[in-house]
């Protein structure tokens, strides 16, 4: 029974990872190449002002879309998946904050994204354990500029 449940969870993990990756590939691709429209109808004035400022900066949105595209591809092909999750984490936090604080109509989707990000981080927790240690281990040499 335990082996069967483990196999089922492996399939669930793959499906969740692929869907999450596909969502970000789609979002990054459409955002980079201007496919589709971004309507601000029905959004609060604060949300419109924030989204407009990001777009008019000329820097934030292209970088965001490149990160979404690259990290999404990494998740789809299951290469460097923990790195992809680390790259997407600030974006998911931003999406979550935007929808919870400025545009509550998308809060459900933002919560789902946050839950999936946390779930996948848990699935790949073994990769995050070393950077979550509170102290530096002397077992590893400290990198230095002098080379000695």
């Amino acid at each position: 029974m335990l082996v069967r449940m483990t196999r089922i969870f492996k399939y669930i993990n793959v499906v969740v990872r692929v869907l999450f990756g596909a969502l970000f590939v789609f979002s990054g691709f459409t955002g980079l190449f201007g496919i589709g429209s971004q309507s601000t109808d029905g959004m609060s004035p604060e949300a419109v002002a924030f989204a407009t400022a990001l777009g008019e900066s000329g820097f934030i949105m292209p970088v965001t879309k490149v990160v979404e595209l690259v990290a999404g591809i990494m998740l789809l092909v299951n290469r460097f998946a923990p790195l992809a999750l680390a790259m997407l984490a600030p974006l998911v936090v931003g999406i979550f904050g935007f929808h919870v604080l400025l545009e509550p109509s998308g809060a459900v989707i933002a919560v789902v994204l946050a839950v999936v990000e946390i779930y996948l981080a848990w699935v790949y927790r073994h990769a995050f354990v070393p950077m979550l240690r509170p102290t530096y281990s002397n077992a590893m040499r400290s990198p230095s500029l002098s080379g000695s």
Side-chain angles (χ1 to χ4, degrees):
M1 182 67 170
L2 184 59
V3 172
R4 185 174 180 200
M5 288 302 291
T6 303
R7 187 174 299 150
I8 290 170
F9 276 113
K10 282 184 180 183
Y11 289 120
I12 290 171
N13 295 345
V14 169
V15 168
V16 170
R17 176 181 49 78
V18 167
L19 290 175
F20 197 61
L23 173 76
F24 281 104
V25 167
F26 178 77
S27 176
F29 185 81
T30 58
L32 273 177
F33 299 107
I35 301 168
S37 63
Q38 298 282 332
S39 174
T40 57
D41 295 342
M43 288 175 62
S44 69
E46 295 85 4
V48 171
F50 182 75
T52 302
L54 290 178
E56 289 179 356
S57 73
F59 171 74
I60 297 296
M61 291 314 290
V63 170
T64 298
K65 295 306 176 183
V66 167
V67 169
E68 287 179 356
L69 182 61
V70 170
I73 291 169
M74 291 163 69
L75 288 171
L76 280 177
V77 299
N78 199 23
R79 294 290 181 251
F80 305 106
L83 176 60
L85 292 171
M87 291 167 60
L88 289 173
L91 300 181
V92 171
V93 169
I95 292 166
F96 183 83
F98 176 82
H99 285 291
V100 168
L101 300 173
L102 298 175
E103 191 52 45
S105 66
V108 172
I109 294 169
V111 168
V112 169
L113 283 178
V115 167
V116 171
E117 173 81 21
I118 291 166
Y119 173 78
L120 288 173
W122 178 255
V123 169
Y124 289 98
R125 66 190 174 276
H126 65 278
F128 297 109
V129 168
M131 73 177 176
L132 296 175
R133 289 195 179 107
T135 58
Y136 182 75
S137 171
N138 287 333
M140 296 172 51
R141 271 187 48 133
S142 174
S144 67
L145 297 176
S146 65
S148 45

